[in-house]
Amino acid sequence: MSDKAKQLAAGAAVDLVEDGMRLGIGTGSTAEYFIQLLGQRVRDGLSVSGVATSERSAELCRQLGIGLTNLDETPVLDLAVDGADEFDGALNLIKGGGGALLREKIVAGAAKRFVVIADTSKQVAVLGAFPLPVEIIPMAKQPLSGRLERLGAVVTLRQAEDGKPFRTDENHWVLDCAFGPSMAGPADLAQTLSTWPGVVEHGLFCGMTEQVLLGDDSHVAVITG
Ligand code: 5RP
């Protein structure tokens, strides 16, 4: 999918930002367009503060002069904007392709409004073609892999470029779980995963999204659940 689609979706989200807002700021290539466009508005005089969902996004915000805060200082956010790896018709999401799912879910959960920006490649009838990221405590890898496989997933420990296990910003590991069409209902699966010892968080975001701003090469559609 072209960058133009991501850019248009990001631009529509920036249009939702008002002076004085406390923002949740997402992670990934679509969220980076949002940060770039937000930076332009800040240079033009907009005043906002943001909680970034990753070190990478925080660094980009700093470079662009976007004021950062944290959830200790600012526990309630007006609007969180983030990308997604997949979304379905009920606006359930798979997130975490960039490994930031834990902070992303915390920030989305702290926001009064959670808006997703995406291009049309992310829209699916049924979640599961994109492997579900599950953030885990390293010592739980074997038992959790077994449990996930028994649910029908093909499980891969995510690797960093140096071949070592990828570490999240919170120093955990990620299991990428390819369920394909065998994925159970997302809400039930989310509930199940949340009860397993060693699972820190999973990339299913159910019942959190207010709207998806869906870009293609020429315009943006607003999708509500
Ligand atoms: C990072 C995420 C991203 O939002 C997701 O991977 C989408 O990224 P992109 O906009 O680059 O397609 O969940 O953890």
Side-chain angles (χ1 to χ4, degrees):
M1 183 52 61
S2 78
D3 281 4
K4 179 78 181 164
K6 294 181 180 186
Q7 241 168 329
L8 285 177
V14 169
D15 288 345
L16 299 176
V17 177
E18 295 169 12
D19 205 49
M21 270 190 170
R22 303 156 298 177
L23 299 174
I25 297 176
T27 295
S29 58
T30 319
E32 282 178 15
Y33 281 120
F34 173 77
I35 299 170
Q36 297 279 2
L37 294 168
L38 184 65
Q40 276 174 25
R41 283 196 61 196
V42 166
R43 279 197 297 283
D44 293 343
L46 181 80
S47 170
V48 290
S49 56
V51 177
T53 54
S54 63
E55 299 302 329
R56 203 168 75 218
S57 292
E59 179 53 30
L60 186 56
C61 287
R62 280 190 282 271
Q63 286 169 15
L64 296 170
I66 300 167
L68 290 175
T69 180
N70 56 55
L71 293 177
D72 291 330
E73 289 172 359
T74 314
V76 178
L77 304 171
D78 299 299
L79 172 68
V81 176
D82 206 343
D85 298 300
E86 283 185 350
F87 72 93
D88 69 12
L91 306 194
N92 297 310
L93 315 177
I94 287 182
K95 283 187 54 54
L101 63 144
L102 174 57
R103 291 189 185 182
E104 289 173 336
K105 197 177 279 189
I106 293 168
V107 167
K112 294 179 195 165
R113 301 178 64 191
F114 177 47
V115 170
V116 167
I117 49 180
D119 61 65
T120 50
S121 69
K122 309 295 180 64
Q123 188 171 30
V124 297
V126 180
L127 297 179
F130 190 93
L132 175 69
V134 179
E135 183 160 347
I136 65 159
I137 298 293
M139 75 170 285
K141 173 183 171 284
Q142 285 308 117
L144 285 175
S145 296
R147 282 180 161 206
L148 286 157
E149 282 162 6
R150 285 192 289 282
L151 285 187
V154 176
V155 180
T156 310
L157 177 65
R158 192 179 297 187
Q159 293 194 332
E161 277 173 14
D162 62 5
K164 295 187 179 147
F166 169 83
R167 292 272 180 178
T168 68
D169 283 344
E170 301 290 342
N171 213 24
H172 302 128
W173 287 1
V174 173
L175 297 176
D176 288 308
C177 305
F179 281 92
S182 67
M183 186 191 250
D188 288 345
L189 180 59
Q191 183 67 33
T192 299
L193 295 178
S194 296
T195 65
W196 287 354
V199 171
V200 180
E201 195 47 89
H202 55 77
L204 282 167
F205 288 45
C206 299
M208 299 181 79
T209 306
E210 179 188 291
Q211 57 183 219
V212 176
L213 300 174
L214 185 62
D216 65 18
D217 278 341
S218 57
H219 75 296
V220 179
V222 179
I223 315 279
T224 50

